[in-house]
Amino acid sequence: QAHKEEDNPEKTMEVNGLPSVPDSYDYDLIVIGGGSGGLAAAKEAAKYEKKVMVLDFVTPTPQGSSWGLGGTCVNVGCIPKKLMHQAALLGQALQDSRKFGWQFTEEVKHNWMTMTESVQNYIGSLNWGYRVALRDKKVTYENAYGEFVGPHTIKATNKKGVEKLYTAERFIIATGERPRYLGVPGDKEHCISSDDLFSLPYCPGKTLVVGASYVALECAGFLAGLGLDVTVMVRSILLRGFDQDMANRIGEYMNEHGVNFIREFVPIKVEQVEEGTPGKLKVTAKSTTGNQIIEGEYNTVLLAIGRDPCTRKIGLDRVGVNINEKTGKIPVNDEEQTNVPYIYAIGDILQDKLELTPVAIQAGRLLVQRLYAGATTKCDYVNVPTTVFTPLEYGACGYSEETAVEKFGEENIEVYHSHFWPLEWTVPSRDNNKCYAKIICNIQDNERVIGFHVLGPNAGEVTQGFAAAIKCGLTKEQLDGTVGIHPVCAEV
Amino acid sequence: MGWEEMQVRGYPEFVRTAQRYHGRPIFALFCGDKDAEGRSWCPDCVTAEPVVRKELHNLPDESVFIYCLVGDRAYWKDPNNEFRKNLKLTGVPTLLKYGTPQKLVEEECFKAELVHMLFTED
């Protein structure tokens, strides 16, 4: 007999002849996935003296790459990305420095292995730090692949194939995503993804980046900044979902600064011409607008065409958790609860929510506070600021111009914009018409600032403060009334 | 073969010893010098040492445990001493697995659970 479940751990249940779930569970909470969201939730739960387990497991990439505890952000996302972006910026700074009087005669070259080793060492210290933090807070951590096998029950399989069963009162799914492959011959055998790039044990050389996501553009950006020959193959538009005017400015800047773009083509075949580290690959691509076929040779092909949630092989069907069959994402209510009351989900796998580390962390913490500390605050997904770390950085908070027009009507919004020339760029004669900022205001609501966009150095640092102001309901008048700090980019 | 302990004093001796055992897992505990009565100038080291010693039996086979006295208080406080510069030590006591980013610093060394984790897990 199947009982209609409530999230009440004291009841036992029998569903479809499976063994009844005991009144007492092994754990109060099992978190599947030790990334940004999972770890934040687990550490928070431990604060309330709950018995918590975290399962984290990285299925190696087709190239064999793997990594430690901490999830995408720490290992193959935000952290190494920003460090390598910084490496590229430093290269630019070295060029600029001559105009400021620094004299050096040697040619400045970049050593990929030195950079990668330092980055990986730092990541290793973060992995270790998380393990210390979990152990210190008495959170059980297992490096094992978790999947549901029945109500309140999961099976954890470690890398030696040893299986163990665990039960818990509640579960949080925080399994994140992995890069998507093209589905064409040679993609898995010869191409790499962001999962491989940051620990690549050899310099990637002449690189083709396939994709137009922020991952594609950020990687293409820093690879070019390090002196490599980089081409980006774009199927249609850049940075889908972002303000398109800003996206095009980013693309233009990259193009003018040494990144080649091949627009409206998709790869149909990748073949190995020469083995090596790196070897040589031949890419055959077809136009999306006609029958034209082109070929090109590269040392490395980096795929950045999207990410898919890790929700299809964790036994969700066995416990009845609904997922969007097409995308793999999990729909949840505004309390991060799935359709199964004792199973919650946070992070990148959520449907219609922003895929950002701070969002996952916030959602995880607030969820746990609601579960165990009687809190009622829900995660606020509105006006979340974000930054794209392309060579010319882009910070944004709120509506894109297109979305604002769609939602409020063109006549009801006012856009204020300006180019600016960072003082630091004047002396080295860097572009004087590329940095740009705009705000989008809702005329009907006191000219409230509903969109903030800035393209320029340190965009992330600039945007953070404005995000707080927007959360407080910043209006154009208040913005005008705020005296600027001089001389900085943000004063514009 | 179980594990063995080497006691060294000062940076050059530490480096020589670590190099000699290259290829085997090496764990090192860095403490402040001890006086004639065997007491260290570093109170946290006094607390940590017995906790660490109690866990030594969990060391993997073939391991080498290097017990290293870093120097006197003045030497340690110098921000340019070789341990700080080359090994990136930030405090004593420090217990680390040589050649990896895995380490426990100061009060972390008082916790048997964490020492156990450092010695037994990858």
Side-chain angles (χ1 to χ4, degrees):
Chain A
Q1 258 164 327
H3 296 264
K4 179 78 180 91
E5 265 186 278
E6 279 175 9
D7 188 15
N8 185 337
E10 274 75 55
K11 288 198 187 134
T12 56
M13 347 167 330
E14 234 174 79
V15 178
N16 295 339
L18 285 162
S20 59
V21 179
D23 284 316
S24 79
Y25 301 100
D26 298 327
Y27 290 90
D28 294 311
L29 177 68
I30 291 183
V31 179
I32 310 180
S36 303
L39 290 179
K43 285 193 246 179
E44 189 71 22
K47 276 193 202 163
Y48 305 111
E49 323 257 296
K50 295 297 161 186
K51 195 161 175 232
V52 187
M53 164 181 266
V54 171
L55 293 173
D56 187 69
F57 191 83
V58 179
T59 307
T61 71
Q63 298 298 329
S65 308
S66 184
W67 49 89
L69 180 63
T72 295
C73 177
V74 162
N75 292 286
V76 288
C78 332
I79 302 291
K81 175 265 297 283
K82 184 100 189 293
L83 289 172
M84 293 197 177
H85 170 68
Q86 176 66 1
L89 289 178
L90 287 170
Q92 175 73 64
L94 283 167
Q95 300 302 325
D96 290 353
S97 73
R98 291 185 204 262
K99 292 280 178 61
F100 282 94
W102 289 99
Q103 297 174 331
F104 40 97
T105 50
E106 308 104 55
E107 258 299 297
V108 169
K109 291 185 313 217
H110 184 260
N111 183 315
W112 174 269
M113 291 311 303
T114 307
M115 172 184 72
T116 310
E117 257 178 58
S118 310
V119 169
Q120 287 301 318
N121 262 348
Y122 177 63
I123 292 173
S125 71
L126 292 179
N127 299 141
W128 173 250
Y130 285 124
R131 289 174 58 196
V132 169
L134 289 185
R135 183 61 66 94
D136 203 30
K137 297 177 184 358
K138 312 271 186 282
V139 172
T140 309
Y141 157 59
E142 286 225 3
N143 184 211
Y145 187 93
E147 53 191 310
F148 286 96
V149 289
H152 291 272
T153 312
I154 53 134
K155 173 174 79 170
T157 310
N158 71 13
K159 55 183 173 219
K160 301 208 175 107
V162 176
E163 295 176 1
K164 290 196 213 164
L165 291 181
Y166 297 106
T167 60
E169 181 185 329
R170 293 184 175 105
F171 294 82
I172 298 180
I173 307 171
T175 49
E177 302 179 304
R178 296 297 292 271
R180 191 179 300 155
Y181 279 78
L182 283 166
V184 302
D187 66 350
K188 292 209 170 125
E189 299 88 310
H190 306 307
C191 301
I192 64 167
S193 72
S194 57
D195 280 357
D196 307 293
L197 181 64
F198 302 109
S199 56
L200 206 60
Y202 53 85
C203 180
K206 180 177 175 196
T207 303
L208 175 71
V209 178
V210 182
S213 54
Y214 74 80
V215 175
L217 297 185
E218 285 176 345
C219 290
F222 75 70
L223 289 173
L226 297 177
L228 303 180
D229 178 342
V230 178
T231 304
V232 180
M233 186 175 285
V234 176
R235 185 186 59 183
S236 64
I237 61 171
L238 299 178
L239 295 174
R240 185 178 301 276
F242 287 82
D243 185 293
Q244 283 299 289
D245 178 49
M246 306 304 286
N248 289 325
R249 286 169 187 272
I250 291 172
E252 231 177 73
Y253 182 87
M254 286 174 68
N255 198 201
E256 284 168 24
H257 288 266
V259 178
N260 307 304
F261 281 85
I262 299 179
R263 314 272 318 228
E264 301 189 325
F265 272 86
V266 289
I268 54 174
K269 193 168 47 165
V270 179
E271 297 162 283
Q272 187 176 63
V273 168
E274 240 178 67
E275 268 188 43
T277 53
K280 250 197 231 157
L281 302 173
K282 183 168 99 170
V283 178
T284 309
K286 183 165 186 297
S287 164
T288 59
T289 57
N291 285 324
Q292 198 194 353
I293 303 271
I294 57 171
E295 287 180 355
E297 260 188 28
Y298 305 92
N299 294 124
T300 298
V301 177
L302 171 67
L303 300 182
I305 56 172
R307 294 175 63 80
D308 293 320
C310 298
T311 51
R312 308 227 188 235
K313 295 191 194 162
I314 56 173
L316 293 183
D317 49 321
R318 294 194 206 115
V319 281
V321 172
N322 289 337
I323 66 170
N324 179 319
E325 280 304 324
K326 179 160 169 275
T327 62
K329 296 239 175 171
I330 302 186
V332 293
N333 61 18
D334 62 2
E335 298 187 332
E336 287 82 30
Q337 193 179 36
T338 68
N339 61 304
V340 177
Y342 66 89
I343 301 179
Y344 299 80
I346 56 177
D348 288 358
I349 54 173
L350 295 193
Q351 180 159 287
D352 299 326
K353 302 281 197 288
L354 287 158
E355 294 174 25
L356 296 167
T357 279
V359 171
I361 292 177
Q362 179 86 315
R365 284 204 191 123
L366 293 179
L367 168 62
V368 166
Q369 286 169 8
R370 292 194 305 271
L371 290 179
Y372 301 122
T376 50
T377 320
K378 300 185 198 178
C379 189
D380 184 359
Y381 292 99
V382 169
N383 289 331
V384 172
T386 160
T387 297
V388 181
F389 294 97
T390 34
L392 192 56
E393 294 178 9
Y394 167 42
C397 183
Y399 288 93
S400 65
E401 200 171 323
E402 312 77 271
T403 317
V405 163
E406 203 186 297
K407 174 138 192 202
F408 298 96
E410 194 172 340
E411 64 286 3
N412 292 320
I413 63 161
E414 190 71 63
V415 179
Y416 298 92
H417 66 150
S418 174
H419 281 99
F420 60 92
W421 197 21
L423 182 62
E424 295 82 359
W425 288 24
T426 56
V427 164
S429 306
R430 288 176 63 186
D431 298 302
N432 64 357
N433 61 348
K434 287 291 185 285
C435 296
Y436 179 75
K438 77 177 173 187
I439 55 164
I440 302 166
C441 301
N442 183 352
I443 300 177
Q444 294 176 320
D445 181 22
N446 269 0
E447 275 210 306
R448 193 148 329 261
V449 178
I450 56 170
F452 170 91
H453 303 266
V454 67
L455 189 62
N458 304 306
E461 309 291 1
V462 171
T463 306
Q464 184 71 87
F466 286 98
I470 290 175
K471 205 170 230 346
C472 297
L474 182 73
T475 62
K476 174 72 166 54
E477 200 183 328
Q478 287 171 321
L479 190 58
D480 287 345
T482 309
V483 180
I485 302 172
H486 183 77
V488 296
C489 297
E491 64 178 308
V492 73
Chain B
M1 167 200 198
W3 58 275
E4 54 185 297
E5 174 167 347
M6 300 299 303
Q7 301 205 344
V8 302
R9 199 181 166 280
Y11 185 76
E13 205 187 338
F14 172 77
V15 172
R16 273 199 309 275
T17 311
Q19 278 169 356
R20 191 181 335 146
Y21 292 104
H22 179 73
R24 289 165 61 176
I26 298 173
F27 296 85
L29 177 64
F30 298 91
C31 292
D33 277 4
K34 292 177 165 173
D35 60 22
E37 275 89 51
R39 293 227 77 164
S40 176
W41 56 260
C42 160
D44 285 349
C45 301
V46 174
T47 313
E49 194 178 332
V51 176
V52 172
R53 289 200 169 280
K54 220 162 154 215
E55 293 292 325
L56 287 177
H57 67 276
N58 289 312
L59 283 171
D61 281 344
E62 305 281 320
S63 298
V64 178
F65 173 68
I66 304 179
Y67 178 75
C68 177
L69 294 178
V70 298
D72 63 22
R73 183 185 240 127
Y75 168 81
W76 180 252
K77 294 296 181 195
D78 173 12
N80 290 323
N81 77 53
E82 295 135 308
F83 289 101
R84 289 189 195 269
K85 261 185 33 199
N86 303 334
L87 281 178
K88 309 279 184 274
L89 295 197
T90 54
V92 280
T94 291
L95 177 67
L96 55 77
K97 186 169 178 178
Y98 191 65
T100 77
Q102 299 186 355
K103 64 178 179 176
L104 298 173
V105 179
E106 291 158 3
E107 314 84 57
E108 291 175 341
C109 301
F110 302 169
K111 302 182 185 179
E113 268 284 286
L114 297 183
V115 176
H116 186 95
M117 182 168 82
L118 181 70
F119 286 167
T120 60
E121 293 178 27
D122 264 326

